[in-house]
Amino acid sequence: MCRRCARKNRVPSAGTGTPRCGNCGAPLPWIAEAGDQDFGEVVDQAAVPVLVDVWAPWCAPCRMVSPALERIALDYAGRIKLVKINADEAPEVARRFQVQSLPTLLLTDHGKVVERQIGAAPEPRLRAWLEEGLAAA
């Protein structure tokens, strides 16, 4: 939903550019899910830096950090893409990035890891971590 005009918009998991509201043109938050089969298309080929959240449904810290990540995605609309990866359903992605603890957050730019955060952290710390990573990207 657009924060500016409150219109519903469809945002595809993969695509070029950044999503914008079809009504007012405001940047939209880009939140998607991916797995082993579509990770390359959804994450590696993204035009903006991607905040990858590797999580699992049984992981309590993962469930605690998820709302903060969604708020961050809203605030950084047009600047980042948030992609959620269920580690149980995407073991190849977890192996590729050597995920050993959940949640694991990765900031990637064209498939290259720029920053890594392991474990849950408070939202202000996540925002600072993201800012550092975006500056490095």
Side-chain angles (χ1 to χ4, degrees):
M1 180 163 323
C2 178
R3 291 176 104 181
R4 185 183 296 165
C5 71
R7 289 269 183 133
K8 281 189 176 183
N9 289 267
R10 287 187 205 178
V11 178
S13 293
T16 58
T18 58
R20 296 198 164 272
C21 177
N23 185 55
C24 71
L28 294 171
W30 204 351
I31 302 172
E33 295 180 2
D36 287 340
Q37 286 72 30
D38 59 352
F39 185 85
E41 181 183 12
V42 174
V43 176
D44 293 341
Q45 297 176 15
V48 295
V50 180
L51 174 54
V52 178
D53 174 20
V54 184
W55 69 285
W58 48 263
C59 170
C62 298
R63 291 192 313 268
M64 290 171 48
V65 79
S66 186
L69 295 175
E70 291 179 14
R71 285 190 297 272
I72 290 169
L74 286 171
D75 292 343
Y76 283 78
R79 294 183 55 202
I80 67 163
K81 179 180 189 179
L82 172 62
V83 178
K84 296 175 168 275
I85 308 291
N86 182 333
D88 292 339
E89 296 175 358
E92 292 301 317
V93 171
R95 224 179 331 263
R96 172 182 169 183
F97 295 106
Q98 300 172 343
V99 173
Q100 296 179 354
S101 297
L102 297 177
T104 293
L105 305 176
L106 308 165
L107 182 63
T108 68
D109 189 20
H110 296 93
K112 181 183 172 213
V113 176
V114 177
E115 290 287 335
R116 177 185 295 259
Q117 164 74 35
I118 298 171
E123 188 171 338
R125 175 64 194 119
L126 293 175
R127 287 177 183 274
W129 170 79
L130 179 62
E131 279 297 326
E132 290 171 16
L134 290 174

